[in-house]
Amino acid sequence: MAAALPAEWIKNWEKAGKNEFLQLCRTLSENKSHDNVSFRDIQQVLYELAYHVIRGNLKHDQASNVLGDVIELREDMPSILADVFCILDIETSCLEEKSKRDHFTQLVLACLYLVSDTVLKERLDPETLESLGLIKQSQQFNQKSVKIKTKLFYKQQKFNLLREENEGYAKLIAELGQDLSGNITSDLILENIKSLIGCFNLDPNRVLDIILEVYECRPEYDDFFVPLIESYMYMCEPQTLCHILGFKFKFYQDPSGETPPSLYRVAAVLLQHNLIDLEDLYVHLLPGDNAIIEEHKREIVEAKQIVRKLTMVVLSSEKTEEKEKEKEKEEEKTEKPPDNQKLGLLEALLKIGDWQHAQSIMDQMPPFYSTSHKPIAIALCQLVHVTIEPLYRRVGVPKGAKGSPISSLPNKRAPKQADSFEDLRKEVFNMLCYLGPHLSHDPILFAKVVRLGKAFMKEVGTTKKFISDRMVKFQSDGSKQEDREKMEILFSCLLSITDQVLLPSLSLMDCNACMSEELWGMFKTFPYQYRYRLYGQWKNETYNSHPLLVKVKAQTIDRAKYIMKRLTKENVKPSGRQIGKLSHSNPTILFDYILSQIQKYDNLITPVVDSLKYLTSLNYDVLAYCIIEALANPEKERMKHDDTTISSWLQSLASFCGAVFRKYPIELAGLLQYVANQLKAGKSFDLLILKEVVQKMAGIEITEEMTMEQLEAMTGGEQLKAEGGYFGQIRNTKKSSQRLKDALLDHDLALPLCLLMAQQRNGVIFQEGGEKHLKLVGKLYDQCHDTLVQFGGFLASNLSTEDYIKRVPSIDVLCNEFHTPHDAAFFLSRPMYAHHISSKYDELKKAEKGNKQQHKVHKYITSCELVMAPVHDAVISLHLPKVWDDISPQFYATFWSLTMYDLAVPHSSYDREVNKLKVQMKAIDDNQEMPPNKKKKEKERCTALQDKLLEEEKKQLEHVQRVLQRLKLEKDNWLLAKSTKNETITKFLQLCIFPRCIFSAIDAVYCAHFVELVHQQKTPNFSTLLCYDRVFSDIIYTVASCTENEASRYGRFLCCMLETVTRWHSDRVIYEKECGNYPGFLTILRATGFDGGNKADQLDYENFRHVVHKWHYKLTKASVHCLETGEYTHIRNILIVLTKILPWYPKVLNLGQALERRVHKICQEEKEKRPDLYALAMGYSGQLKSRKPFMIPENEFHHKDPPARNAVAATVQNGPGGAGMPTSLTINTAKLEESTAEETEKLKEKSQGAVKVINKAANTTPKVTTSNGNSASNSKIIKEKDDKEKSGKEKDKEKKEKITAATPETKALGKDGKDKPKEERANKDDKAREIKEKTPKSDKEKEKAKKEEKASKEEKSKTVVTTVESKSAAEKEREKEPSREKDVVKDMKSKEITKGGEKIPVAGSLKSPVPRSETSESEREQKRRKVDTHSSPSHSSTVKDNLNELKDSSAKHYINHTTPTLSKSKEREVDKKDLDKSRERSREREKKEEKDRKDRKRVGETSMN
C-alpha cells in the first residue's frame, strides 16, 4: 500500500538512500497487475520526496537528479510529477513559513527540464507560474483563459439565415422523403446529408430536428431511421437529441396543446434503442411527479366522500343543496385536464413492447395510477395477449374453440413470448401485477389468464393433494426436487395473481356471469383452504386498495339495501334476479350485508334462500365462506344478555345454513371443518349449525315433542320413519344427503365429529359450562347430545356397510382409547353390529338353501354368535370385574346392541300409514280437476309406497321373531346374581336402563319394553317387582340430575313403565295371565346370604294393586318434594316428567289433588319470577284438570273395605302382607324389605319431612279449604267449592278407614313400610283425643262422613252418566284410554250396586233429575261449610295438632283467593243457628262411630283367631 520513505534513507542519501529510493520506484513501476494501486503509490513516493525537500531535509538538486532517473521508468511520470507539484503548490501557498515556499519554487525550477511548460501552465496557479517565470503577468493570463472558456463553452455559432440556403433544407426533406423500399441505406443517406450541411451551410441541430419530424411522419420505417439517427449522433453531442425532443414536448405543454401520438412513438423507439436516457427525457415531461401524487390522493378522498354520502342519511331539505353542489363539481370536471405526457409516453412504450422503460415510468407513480387510465390498461393488456399467445394456443384454448390468433410484435426488443408455464414468471405475472384490477377492461384476457391457471392446475394433475398438504414424496433425484420447487413457486404466483388481479378485476366488471363461472373452473381445483383465504383477502382488504373499488363497494351496499328493503315472499323471482346480477361481480360485499340482515330478521330466511337461485357456482362458494366468517365473528356474543339462551343471530344463521346448503350445491367441507375445530377448542355453540344442516339435508330431525304415534312409527323401518315419524314430510333429500355424506367421507370428518361430540357432552358441563347459567349449560348439553344422536342416525342410515365398518372402531377402542362415554360408543357401534349380523345371515342363507323357519332362526342365531362373541369379550374391559358377578357380558352387550326395531313391530303405525295412502288414493280418484297423467302418477306413487310399507312390515315381523328366539335361548345366562338379586337389579338399572333411557325418546321406550321383555321371558334371577319398585321409588335424584330433554325422555320411560303396570293393575285376568306364574313376581327372594321361606310365593292380584298404589304414592311424594324445593331445575324437570306420565298418573284422586295444589302454588309464585316455569306449570295444571274426571278414590284403586280384610288376612301366612299391628307388618314385609333396606333408609331420611307433609295435608285439606267457604256468592264458585269439599270429605273417610283397618298398602313391598305404622299410630292418637274431648265437631264429622259417602256415590254415578251423554271431549279421551275407563266403570259398578254377588242395572238409579240434586247438594254443603268455619276452640286445637308439621303455603293459597261478599252481622246470625245444629249432629254421629269401631274390632279379633 502507501509507501513511506524511511528517515534513514534521507540521512544516508548519497550512500544508500538514493539507490533504495530508485529501487522502490522501479518496483512500483513494474507492478502492472493493479494499475490504480501502483499509480497511487508512485504519487505517494514522489510526494514524500518533494516534501522532504520543502522541509529542508534534502537539497533540491539531489531531488532533481534522482527524479531525472525516475522519469524514465514510466511514460506518464511527468504528468504524475506535475500532479504532485499542483498539490504542493496549494499546500505551500497556505503556509505562513516563507522558507518552505522558497524550497518548493527552487525544486520546481530544478525540475523544469523534466516537465513541459504546457503541463505546468494547466496545473499550477497563475501566481506560481509568474514566480517561476513561465508567464509574464498572472492577471493577463487569467483574463485570457476566461475569454477562451467563454468562446469554447458559452458562445454559440451564429448561423446567418441569409447564408443558410432554403434549397439545402428542401433537398434534405426530399432526400429523407424519397421511396426507401429500394437499396437505399441509412449510410448512403447520411453521406448525402453531410454534403448538404457542408454545401448549404445548414445548422446540424436543425437538420436533426427535421430528421425527427420526417421520422414522425413515416413511422413504418423504423429500420431506416433508427440507424440513421444513431449514425448522425456520432457527429453531435450526446445530449443534443434529448434536448431537441424535450423542446418538442415543451411546445405542446400549453393548456390547449395536445401532444401528437407520433411524437410519443418516436421518443419510445429512441428510448428502446437506448439513443436517449429515460432520466434525461423524463424531466422535460409534464405533469411533475408531485402533481401526480396529489391527484391520486384527491381521487382517494373523493371516493371516500362518495362512500360517506351513500351511507349517510340525507334529509329532503339538504338533498337539493347537495345536488346543486354536485352539478357545480361535475361542470368543473368537464373542463379538459392538461395532457399527461408521461402517460402518453408510457402508452407508446407499451405499444412497441418496451416493457423495461414502461415499468420504470410506472414505478415513479402511485400503484395502479397509470393503469387506471383506460388506454394504458388496454395497451398493457395487448402486450400480455402477445406475450402469452404461444402458451395459450398450446394449453389454454378450450376443445372445439377456434379462437383468433394474435400476431407477435415486429420489434425484436419486445418481451420474449411464453412457451411454458415457467416463462410466465419472467414477464407476464409482473405485467399482470402492474395491471391490477384494471384487467377488467379486457374480459377476453381475463378468460385467457384463468384458462392458463386451469391448465396449470391440470398439468400439476393429481397434485391437488400435493398442493393441499405439500407432502408429495419425490425421489431423491435433484431434478425432481427442482421441479417440485418450481411448481410450488408457480402455484404461489398463481394465487398472488388471483388475489391481486383476477378477483379485483371481477369486482370492476359489470355483472359478467360468464367470467364468474370461468373463474370457478380454476377455483374448484384449489382446496377450500386456499379459496377461503382468497375470499377473505377479497372481502376485507382488496376493496380498500383502490379508489374505484372503494366506490364499487359503497354502490354495491347501497344497491343491496335497496333490494333487501323490498324483498318479500311475493317478489322472490324479480328480487332474486337483481341479487344474482349484483352477486356476479361483488359477492362478498352483497352476502355480508344479506347475512347481517338475516341475523337481525329471521323472517327473511325463506325469501332470501329462494332468491339465491340465480347465483353462479363461485358465488355459492363465496356464500359458504361468508357464512363461516359470520359465525366466527369474535365481536358477536353467542349468548343473550341473560346468559341463559343462545343468541338469536346464531339461531338465525344456523337455520339459514340448513336451508341454503340443502337447496343449493354448495361445498360443505369448510363448514364441517369449522364445527370440528370449534369442538376441538371446547366450544359447542356451533353444533346448532351441524344440527340444522343434518336436519335439512338428510331429513333427520331431533325433537322432544314427538307424539307417541310418531315415536311408534320411528320404531319401524326406514320407509315408515320417513312417512310417519317426522313432523314435516321430508322429501327429495336423496341428493342433499348424498352431498353431505360425500363431504364427510372425502374430508374424513364423519368419525371425528362423532367422537368430538361424544366427548364434548361432558366438556359442556365440566369445562365449557364453568361460570355459565345452569339453564344454558343444560341447553348446550342437550344440543350437543341431540346433534350426536341425529348425526349418528344420519351416518347409520346413509353410509354403506363397508364405509361404516371401516370408520368406526371396536367398542373397547372407542371407550378406552377415545374416551367415548359408553352410551355414545354403543350408539355408534349398534348399526355396525346390525350390518354385520345381517350380512353374515345372508351369507349363511346363500350357503345352505332351506326355507324352513327353524333353519332360518338357527342361521340367524349362528350369525349373531359369530358377530357378538368378540363384542362380549370387548365389553369386559369397560367395567370392573365385580360387575360381571351379577350380569353377564352377553346380557350387557345384548341390551346395548338391540333397538326397538328388534323387539316389536309397530303394526298400528303400518296400518295407519297404509290407510292414509288409501284415503289419499281415493281423494285422487275423486279429484276431477287433476289431469289424468298426474292422477296416474300419483296413484302409482301411492301404490308403490303402500307395497313398500307392507313388505317392510313383513320383513320386520320375521326379524323380530328371530330376535325373540335368540333371546329365549340366551336368557338363562343373562343374570348370574352371585351376590343378591337386589344388587343385580342395581347394576342392571345403573349400567343399562338409566344411561340408555335418557339417551333418546326411542331408547326410553326401548328400556321400558326391554324390562317387560326380560320379565316375559321368565329370565332367572330377575325380580320384576324389585325392578319396578326401584324405578318408581327413587325418582327425586334422577329427575334432579337431568337436563330438560333428558327429563322429557325420562318421563317417556316412566310413562311406558306405568302403562305396563296400569295394564296389569286394571284387570285380574291380564295380571294372572302376564304375571301370575312368572318368577319376576316372587315375593320371597332366594339368594346367597338370604334366608327365604321354604316356599316361593307369588304376589297375588290384590296385593299387587296395593303395591301399585304405593308406587303412585311414592311418585307423588317425590313430585311434591321437587316442586317445593324452589330450585329451577327440580321444578322444571318434575313438571316435564309429570306432563309425560299424565296418561297413567295420577289415577288416585287424593294424590292428584295434592299435586294440583302444589302446581297451583308454583303458578302463583313463578308468574313474575320465572315465566318459563310458569308456562310449564300452567300447561300441566290445565291438562291435570282435564284428567280429573278419570281419577278415582283410593279405595277403588286398591281394595280397602273391611270384609276384604279376611281374605287378605288369609293370604298373610304365605304372602308379603301383614295384619293391622305394626309388629306383624314389619316382620312380614321383611321378606322383601331386607334387600332394599339400605336404600329405603337413605331416602327416608331425606324425604320423611315431605311424606309427613303430604299425609297430613291430605288429612286436613277439607278443614283448611272449608275455612273460607262461606264467602262464595257466585253459584259457579259455590259449585267448584262443593266439588273440592266432596273430595275432601272422601279423603277424610279414607283416612279413617286406614286407621281402623290394617293398611293394605303396607302389605305389599315398599320402602316406607316402617314409616307407615308410625303415621297410623299418630292418626289413631289424634282420633282418640277427639273422641275423649267429645267436641261438637267430631259428632258432626261422623254424621257428615256417612251422608257424604252416600251423596258422593250418587254424585259419582250422575257425573259418569252426564259425561258419557253430553261431553264428547271426555268420550274421545276415554276412547284413547279404554283400559282406564274400564277400570273406573268397573270399580264404580262393583262399589255402588252389588247385592248378594248379583249386579243390579244402573239405569234405574240414574233417572233422577241431575240439576235438582246438584243444587240441593250445594246448599247443604254451603251450610256445612259455614259451621266448619266457626268451630269450637277444642276443635281448633286439634286442627293445630294435625297441622303442626304442615307448611302454611297451601293453606294461605286457599285463604287468600276468596271474595268476601256477606256482611259480618249476617254471617254471625247464620253461624249461631248452624252451630247448634252441627253440635247435635256430631253427637249422634260420634255414638254411631263408636259402635262401628267396636264391631270392627270384634270382627278383626275373630279373623285373627
Side-chain angles (χ1 to χ4, degrees), residues 567-803:
L567 179 64
T568 61
K569 285 182 183 177
E570 288 71 37
N571 67 356
V572 159
K573 211 166 190 180
S575 296
R577 286 181 178 138
Q578 289 176 311
I579 286 172
K581 199 173 178 184
L582 200 56
S583 72
H584 296 329
S585 303
N586 298 283
T588 52
I589 304 302
L590 173 67
F591 296 146
D592 195 44
Y593 180 75
I594 288 175
L595 290 172
S596 72
Q597 292 301 296
I598 283 171
Q599 288 170 54
K600 289 174 193 166
Y601 314 109
D602 58 357
N603 58 342
L604 276 174
I605 291 171
T606 308
V608 165
V609 169
D610 291 339
S611 68
L612 295 177
K613 60 182 168 188
Y614 300 105
L615 266 56
T616 61
S617 306
L618 176 68
N619 295 346
Y620 285 129
D621 201 47
V622 172
L623 178 60
Y625 165 76
C626 289
I627 288 170
I628 293 167
E629 193 185 54
L631 290 168
N633 188 351
E635 293 170 12
K636 290 231 172 189
E637 283 295 329
R638 283 168 148 62
M639 294 177 290
K640 285 187 181 172
H641 293 299
D642 58 2
D643 285 347
T644 59
T645 43
I646 295 169
S647 292
S648 52
W649 71 265
L650 186 58
Q651 292 171 352
S652 299
L653 265 185
S655 183
F656 176 72
C657 267
V660 86
F661 278 96
R662 178 182 185 270
K663 191 161 188 178
Y664 304 109
I666 307 173
E667 190 177 327
L668 283 149
L671 188 74
L672 296 171
Q673 187 63 56
Y674 168 74
V675 174
N677 292 346
Q678 289 293 90
L679 284 172
K680 275 188 211 167
K683 298 172 187 172
S684 60
F685 283 100
D686 295 286
L687 276 174
L688 189 60
I689 296 128
L690 184 64
K691 187 178 179 181
E692 285 289 336
V693 167
V694 174
Q695 181 173 326
K696 297 277 187 351
M697 292 188 75
I700 296 172
E701 59 182 335
I702 294 292
T703 175
E704 291 305 315
E705 302 308 317
M706 290 173 92
T707 62
M708 285 309 285
E709 287 166 357
Q710 283 176 315
L711 206 55
E712 191 182 10
M714 292 299 284
T715 64
E718 290 299 322
Q719 200 65 50
L720 183 63
K721 281 183 194 176
E723 291 301 313
Y726 299 124
F727 278 108
Q729 278 245 315
I730 297 157
R731 304 210 179 278
N732 306 324
T733 56
K734 195 173 181 183
K735 284 183 181 176
S736 54
S737 58
Q738 183 64 34
R739 279 196 296 115
L740 180 57
K741 184 187 92 169
D742 292 344
L744 287 165
L745 296 184
D746 292 347
H747 295 84
D748 290 326
L749 284 169
L751 183 67
L753 275 171
C754 285
L755 296 178
L756 284 166
M757 279 188 273
Q759 292 163 359
Q760 185 61 22
R761 283 193 312 170
N762 290 337
V764 166
I765 300 165
F766 297 108
Q767 292 167 359
E768 191 181 6
E771 296 172 3
K772 291 189 178 80
H773 195 282
L774 198 60
K775 182 178 173 183
L776 180 67
V777 174
K779 276 199 173 173
L780 289 176
Y781 184 93
D782 281 339
Q783 179 180 287
C784 187
H785 178 83
D786 290 350
T787 313
L788 172 65
V789 172
Q790 180 195 31
F791 191 69
F794 165 74
L795 294 180
S797 57
N798 285 274
L799 261 63
S800 66
T801 313
E802 293 74 30
D803 280 335

Side-chain angles (χ1 to χ4, degrees), residues 307-324:
V307 173
R308 193 172 57 81
K309 279 178 192 171
L310 288 170
T311 52
M312 195 167 58
V313 178
V314 182
L315 300 172
S316 55
S317 60
E318 294 173 7
K319 278 184 182 177
T320 51
E321 292 174 17
E322 288 287 329
K323 282 179 183 175
E324 284 171 13

Side-chain angles (χ1 to χ4, degrees), residues 1224-1235:
S1224 61
L1225 177 120
T1226 47
I1227 291 161
N1228 285 302
T1229 51
K1231 293 174 183 176
L1232 283 169
E1233 288 291 10
E1234 191 165 321
S1235 60

Side-chain angles (χ1 to χ4, degrees), residues 1271-1283:
S1271 59
S1273 64
N1274 193 324
S1275 63
K1276 208 178 219 179
I1277 296 168
I1278 291 166
K1279 221 172 191 183
E1280 286 172 10
K1281 299 293 178 188
D1282 288 348
D1283 293 340

Side-chain angles (χ1 to χ4, degrees), residues 1159-1177:
V1159 173
H1160 193 75
K1161 183 183 167 191
I1162 293 287
C1163 291
Q1164 298 302 317
E1165 288 175 352
E1166 302 296 344
K1167 190 168 186 177
E1168 301 300 326
K1169 289 186 202 167
R1170 296 180 278 198
D1172 48 346
L1173 289 185
Y1174 171 71
L1176 272 175

Side-chain angles (χ1 to χ4, degrees), residues 381-551:
C381 287
Q382 193 57 35
L383 183 59
V384 177
H385 269 297
V386 171
T387 314
I388 64 172
E389 179 63 17
L391 181 62
Y392 178 71
R393 288 286 146 223
R394 183 167 65 81
V395 298
V397 180
K399 285 180 183 176
K402 291 179 183 177
S404 51
I406 294 171
S407 55
S408 60
L409 290 171
N411 193 342
K412 289 178 183 176
R413 290 171 183 260
K416 188 190 167 209
Q417 288 184 304
D419 292 313
S420 67
F421 290 112
E422 187 62 32
D423 292 342
L424 294 176
R425 272 181 60 204
K426 291 171 186 169
E427 302 290 357
V428 175
F429 285 156
N430 208 7
M431 290 177 193
L432 288 170
C433 286
Y434 277 97
L435 197 55
H438 303 290
L439 179 59
S440 56
H441 291 302
D442 193 344
I444 294 170
L445 180 60
F446 184 98
K448 282 185 177 181
V449 172
V450 170
R451 285 170 184 173
L452 284 176
K454 210 191 303 182
F456 169 72
M457 295 304 292
K458 196 175 178 183
E459 192 172 286
V460 172
T462 50
T463 50
K464 188 172 183 182
K465 189 170 186 290
F466 142 64
I467 286 160
S468 62
D469 53 26
R470 306 284 179 95
M471 292 297 287
V472 172
K473 291 180 181 177
F474 284 106
Q475 297 167 5
S476 56
D477 190 356
S479 63
K480 293 278 183 184
Q481 185 66 26
E482 202 176 302
D483 289 346
R484 179 188 169 213
E485 284 172 8
K486 280 180 184 175
M487 284 291 185
E488 284 197 9
I489 293 166
L490 276 169
F491 179 67
S492 62
C493 288
L494 183 61
L495 288 176
S496 299
I497 293 300
T498 308
D499 177 29
Q500 294 169 33
V501 183
L502 298 178
L503 290 175
S505 299
L506 188 64
S507 295
L508 293 179
M509 283 183 184
D510 190 19
C511 63
N512 195 329
C514 301
M515 288 303 106
S516 182
E517 284 295 350
E518 194 75 57
L519 194 58
W520 176 245
M522 179 176 81
F523 267 39
K524 68 184 178 188
T525 60
F526 297 167
Y528 76 88
Q529 294 93 329
Y530 289 96
R531 294 202 308 271
Y532 287 3
R533 171 76 177 156
L534 289 168
Y535 300 150
Q537 293 278 107
W538 188 15
K539 177 177 175 291
N540 302 317
E541 292 178 25
T542 304
Y543 283 97
N544 304 323
S545 66
H546 194 281
L548 265 177
L549 289 167
V550 172
K551 287 180 197 171

